[in-house]
Amino acid sequence: MADIYLYNTLGRKKELFVPLDPPHVGMYSCGPTVYDYAHIGHMRRYVGDDVLKRLLGFNSFQVKHVMNITDVGHLTSDADTGEDKIEKSAAEKGKSAFEIAKFFEEQFFASTDALNIGRPNIVCRATEHINEQIALIKKLEENGYTYITDDGIYFDTSKLKDYGRLAGGKEGIRPGARVDIAGKKHPTDFALWKFSPKDKKRQMEWDSPWGVAFPGWHIECSAMSMKYLGETFDIHSGGVDHIAVHHTNEIAQSEGATGKDPVKYWVHYEFLQVDGQKMSKSLKNTYTVDDVKKKGFDPMALRYLFLTAYYRDPLNFTWKSLEAAQSALEKLRTQVAALGKQQPRTTISQEKNEKVDEYRDKFIKSVNDDMNTATGLAVMWEMLKSNIPSEDKYDLAITFDEVLGLKLGEYTAPIVNIPQEVEKLVAKRENLRKAGDYRDADKLRIKVEEKGFIVEDTPGGSRLTPKR
Ligand code: AMP
Ligand code: ZN
């Protein structure tokens, strides 16, 4: 078991990963709010979790992965004001709130499946854990952390000595973003439980010791992580937007209830951006996995693209970058598939044996260093270009793919020997197309066909298949 280093938002530095009860690892991911289509920005964050899980498995840890589905209580503003996103979407689309939640949860998982993101061991919905949330609020009430307003039950953040430490102390918690609403004692106090409005009937509301109400957004994650992973667990992940409010409040709730620091390592993913801004519904700059497919891309090209960047750096999405990723992925799959067809191993020199070990070590060191998949991919390409035996190249590629998850072993495209003269014609045709000379390019396409190959234009470049 090699050392793994993870950047921990709590300590603001890379730390050696040591779980509470090795080899077991408890991991909780904040899941989607299922009121609208999941977009490829979401996918970047969940590919991150998937790589982390694979990496832990690769290093012989046993991960129990829990993810919630927010199907109630997430308001349009982080400041406990505005409408419930699910109820609003239901009203707009003329569906029930439960139908909306179910539909978008299914769309979310269809998207994650398309990117080979493994499903969590436990998926838990907020609406199915109302009793656990009420029990936790009761505990907080007993411990003296709550107060009641006309609007609901609030958490008194002044009662905690270290409130806001995840976001870097008082300055980091963006008090400006928190609106003062009637009866709130401090700007950073937040709703645990919201009373149903008197003038409007909600679809999602429950009886409770405090009257008919619904949960605030943060309480579900404390209640469900505690139920499935215990009062303290190893890893909690989310997007960077969760640091200042959602995760800060989760820590407050769990600590207020148990007196313990709930999470050892906090992992936060940077955004997928468009033109330097977060890809998000509110900015109307989102693309879904279906949009990507409709444009002729393989969704796995998105996964490759995400792996080329460090997860703590923002990544600017462009269709051009996806084209490059698709072309690289196709090249990688074709090369690995060709290696898989090699004859069984014969003998191997000492020098090459050492090189094989070197590549393996270099890869593990890269990905174990805070999930540096970009360097991991660079090691993959370097290894494929090297002079080690093909059988070892194949074995290493499949081993590296346990972490990268590109399904390299499953690619079964026929490997065809393309005559050099055909390759030359295709390259010439590509250049003519790039120069806008489509007439001459088409003449070359016919020539290629005469030689027994069909050339197609894909977002990743020319694709050549033998004529049947
Ligand atoms: P939401 O459904 O908005 O609660 O988001 C679900 C998860 O996706 C959260 O962890 C967000 O931080 C994350 N997320 C949302 N938009 C993006 C984006 N553009 N890039 C990366 N992660 C995102
Ligand atoms: Zn959460």
Side-chain angles (χ1 to χ4, degrees), residues 28 30-31 68 217 221 236 242 246-247 250:
Y28 185 91
C30 282
N68 70 304
W217 172 32
C221 287
H236 194 312
H242 286 347
H246 182 52
H247 290 165
E250 248 189 85

Side-chain angles (χ1 to χ4, degrees), residues 40-68:
I40 60 174
H42 294 122
M43 293 305 114
R44 181 185 189 197
R45 176 243 175 288
Y46 294 104
V47 163
D49 273 353
D50 189 59
V51 168
L52 179 53
K53 273 164 62 180
R54 286 168 178 274
L55 182 69
L56 292 164
F58 188 75
N59 284 275
S60 308
F61 290 110
Q62 289 165 26
V63 186
K64 178 176 176 186
H65 181 215
V66 179
M67 188 184 79
N68 70 304

